[in-house]
Amino acid sequence: GEDVEQSLFLSVREGDSSVINCTYTDSSSTYLYWYKQEPGAGLQLLTYIFSNMDMKQDQRLTVLLNKKDKHLSLRIADTQTGDSAIYFCAESMTGNQFYFGTGTSLTVIP
Amino acid sequence: DAMVIQNPRYQVTQFGKPVTLSCSQTLNHNVMYWYQQKSSQAPKLLFHYYDKDFNNEADTPDNFQSRRPNTSFCFLDIRSPGLGDAAMYLCATSRGKLGGNEQFFGPGTRLTVL
């Protein structure tokens, strides 16, 4: 698999914005994803971006892609306590094989 | 509506005793995946089936096997579980066409090896 790295922990106050970062090594990655995992549950797709895009916005979520630096970020606006979870970025070249990052545990402080 | 179902949710086995985890889907997706996720780690892809075509990851131990008898079901067989195989095992599916496939995950089976 390819290397996909994330910082392990992030704490924010309720109402603030959260920014979760991810770096990857495979320059041929075609699709980049953000997944959310709540305790004891499977992974839930939040959003994805094609490698030919720089930005994608979906309600409170904004994804930024810097392909030159192989850096992906997820911004959550107006973070709520229900956003507390582990967030995984993942990359895929083919759309069939996915490689996940180590996950960032987001804690939202009321 | 259950879409990707994994049974059982919790499985306990003994060191060296073969164990089978099962996954079923109601989505009629072409691709089914098995991931191993250890505590505080990323899900690690073990293998996937694209229809009947089996695709093994290069670093998946031989101890892990899989079967897909039909579109709906996929099994993970661990022939001789070791203590290091204790983990959450996640099954996922996707349509299998190029274009930002969404993977749908099951809730996982937590395997304990005694």
Side-chain angles (χ1 to χ4, degrees):
Chain A
E2 306 303 331
D3 287 333
V4 183
E5 295 193 357
Q6 303 176 236
S7 52
L8 290 179
F9 302 101
L10 177 66
S11 291
V12 299
R13 293 208 173 273
E14 189 173 18
D16 288 349
S17 292
S18 309
V19 179
I20 303 170
N21 295 302
C22 171
T23 57
Y24 58 97
T25 57
D26 188 355
S27 58
S28 58
S29 296
T30 308
Y31 312 102
L32 296 133
Y33 306 82
W34 283 104
Y35 282 83
K36 178 183 180 182
Q37 187 178 34
E38 298 188 35
L43 279 71
Q44 174 195 358
L45 179 68
L46 290 177
T47 186
Y48 66 88
I49 191 168
F50 295 114
S51 60
N52 61 358
M53 299 167 65
D54 298 324
M55 186 184 86
K56 181 178 180 181
Q57 188 153 2
D58 184 0
Q59 299 181 334
R60 292 191 298 124
L61 305 179
T62 303
V63 179
L64 294 178
L65 174 61
N66 181 330
K67 199 174 177 186
K68 174 175 169 290
D69 294 338
K70 301 191 192 73
H71 182 266
L72 182 74
S73 67
L74 174 69
R75 179 177 180 270
I76 306 172
D78 187 24
T79 312
Q80 303 298 307
T81 54
D83 295 325
S84 292
I86 300 176
Y87 291 80
F88 291 94
C89 69
E91 62 90 12
S92 178
M93 186 176 70
T94 64
N96 288 323
Q97 284 173 286
F98 296 76
Y99 298 99
F100 284 83
T102 47
T104 298
S105 178
L106 174 65
T107 301
V108 181
I109 304 164
Chain B
D1 293 343
M3 293 188 291
V4 182
I5 303 157
Q6 290 188 244
N7 284 309
R9 293 292 309 276
Y10 301 91
Q11 175 75 56
V12 180
T13 191
Q14 291 179 326
F15 183 95
K17 185 174 181 183
V19 66
T20 295
L21 310 182
S22 71
C23 176
S24 62
Q25 54 136 338
T26 60
L27 299 162
N28 204 34
H29 280 171
N30 297 103
V31 193
M32 294 188 77
Y33 307 81
W34 279 104
Y35 290 88
Q36 179 192 64
Q37 186 180 24
K38 296 188 178 181
S39 182
S40 302
Q41 294 185 21
K44 179 182 178 303
L45 181 63
L46 295 173
F47 24 59
H48 74 277
Y49 272 95
Y50 195 125
D51 294 328
K52 293 183 180 179
D53 292 333
F54 178 69
N55 298 272
N56 198 30
E57 291 297 299
D59 55 356
T60 298
D62 292 341
N63 198 25
F64 291 86
Q65 305 283 320
S66 186
R67 296 171 284 134
R68 190 179 185 186
N70 53 51
T71 300
S72 301
F73 285 86
C74 194
F75 300 99
L76 169 62
D77 300 309
I78 309 176
R79 292 192 297 189
S80 181
L83 298 178
D85 297 328
M88 177 75 86
Y89 289 88
L90 298 169
C91 173
T93 72
S94 72
R95 281 196 202 91
K97 296 177 184 175
L98 284 178
N101 275 309
E102 177 176 358
Q103 284 193 313
F104 292 82
F105 281 82
T109 295
R110 183 165 294 283
L111 178 68
T112 300
V113 182
L114 300 177

